[in-house]
């Protein structure tokens, strides 16, 4: 799935509100558009365990909202 630039900017804006996410991770999420925890784990690599369950779910909800 490809998103238009406007949607990507909005998604990036929302993801930025999740303080633990680094800029590079936000960019990867916008590029990869993970919809499952497994896909998100791939994007976040070793930092995945730093996120709490509700943060993981929140990230996935944000992505799904724009798909």
């Amino acid at each position: 799935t490809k998103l238009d630039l406007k949607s990507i900017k909005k998604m990036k804006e929302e993801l930025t509100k999740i303080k633990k996410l680094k800029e590079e991770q936000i960019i990867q999420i916008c590029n990869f558009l993970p919809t499952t925890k497994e896909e998100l784990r791939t994007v976040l690599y070793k930092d995945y365990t730093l996120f709490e369950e509700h943060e993981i779910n929140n990230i996935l909800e944000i992505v799904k909202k724009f798909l």
Side-chain angles (χ1 to χ4, degrees):
T1 305
K2 284 195 167 199
L3 298 179
D4 58 45
L5 192 56
K6 186 178 171 185
S7 295
I8 291 173
K9 284 182 178 181
K10 284 184 179 180
M11 183 191 309
K12 187 178 176 194
E13 208 174 276
E14 286 195 37
L15 289 169
T16 304
K17 294 175 186 172
I18 300 173
K19 300 297 179 202
K20 288 184 187 175
L21 277 176
K22 299 174 193 165
E23 179 72 17
E24 61 199 36
Q25 292 169 324
I26 292 172
I27 292 168
Q28 289 291 3
I29 291 169
C30 290
N31 285 337
F32 192 60
L33 301 173
T35 56
T36 66
K37 289 179 184 179
E38 291 74 27
E39 290 173 347
L40 185 57
R41 184 177 292 122
T42 303
V43 174
L44 297 177
Y45 306 115
K46 63 183 182 287
D47 294 332
Y48 185 83
T49 55
L50 301 176
F51 292 87
E52 295 179 33
E53 186 74 18
H54 74 277
E55 292 168 317
I56 295 290
N57 291 332
N58 193 11
I59 293 168
L60 292 172
E61 284 175 29
I62 291 170
V63 171
K64 288 176 184 176
K65 184 165 60 172
F66 289 93
L67 294 179

